[in-house]
Amino acid sequence: EEKNRCCGAGRYPRIPQAVGRSDLYLKCQLLNEGVCILLLLATFRVSVEAIAYGMLITNVVTQILDAQLNKKLIGYGYLEQMRDILPTLLLAAGAGLCMYLVIFLHLPDLLTVIIQVVVGLGIYLTGSAILELDTFEYFKDVLAPSIRQKLKR
């Protein structure tokens, strides 16, 4: 995905380009950037928190706009996209919550971070394996062999 965007967008913002409709992609991007700039102008004098909430709203709006276009082009709408990412999102939230709870053990900072990383990775990878998510397949097929190879050295 593009790194120079003002705001985030839907999961598959380049589908219009992939199906030969770069004109629609440009219109969608201009609309997305317009929404982003309007919300930024409306919130920047209020507070940093207001800007953050504005960006959250912008992300949701641009996702919906991108998803509507994707639904027209390939029949893959917002609800289908959200249904596809919900297991990953819930798993990440659960792992993040467990990592956060580690701070209540009141251990030294370095030990806390190490435990948080181990807990987060363990929960996320175990959950990915149980739910048969692409994340686990990627880890198993790509990262694990490279880690094993480095450990053998």
Side-chain angles (χ1 to χ4, degrees), residues 2-130:
E2 294 175 20
K3 299 292 182 204
N4 62 351
R5 294 180 61 148
C6 173
C7 308
R11 192 165 170 211
Y12 304 106
R14 292 186 178 225
I15 285 176
Q17 285 178 304
V19 296
R21 294 299 311 264
S22 58
D23 61 318
L24 293 177
Y25 175 77
L26 177 62
K27 288 177 186 175
C28 192
Q29 294 309 327
L30 290 173
L31 186 59
N32 289 347
E33 294 304 316
V35 169
C36 181
I37 291 168
L38 285 175
L39 278 170
L40 186 58
L41 289 173
T43 58
F44 83 97
R45 291 184 187 251
V46 178
S47 69
V48 172
E49 189 174 290
I51 293 171
Y53 283 121
M55 296 305 286
L56 177 65
I57 292 167
T58 300
N59 283 331
V60 172
V61 169
T62 57
Q63 282 183 345
I64 292 170
L65 292 173
D66 287 345
Q68 289 302 320
L69 183 58
N70 293 344
K71 186 170 185 165
K72 276 185 182 177
L73 294 174
I74 64 168
Y76 189 51
Y78 189 71
L79 291 178
E80 291 90 352
Q81 290 179 39
M82 292 303 107
R83 189 174 35 240
D84 287 346
I85 67 167
L86 189 61
T88 302
L89 182 65
L90 292 175
L91 184 57
L97 175 64
C98 292
M99 291 168 66
Y100 172 74
L101 294 175
V102 171
I103 67 170
F104 295 109
L105 297 174
H106 302 291
L107 300 169
D109 291 344
L110 181 60
L111 185 58
T112 298
V113 170
I114 291 169
I115 292 172
Q116 286 175 321
V117 168
V118 170
V119 165
L121 275 174
I123 290 172
Y124 193 82
L125 290 176
T126 302
S128 294
I130 291 169

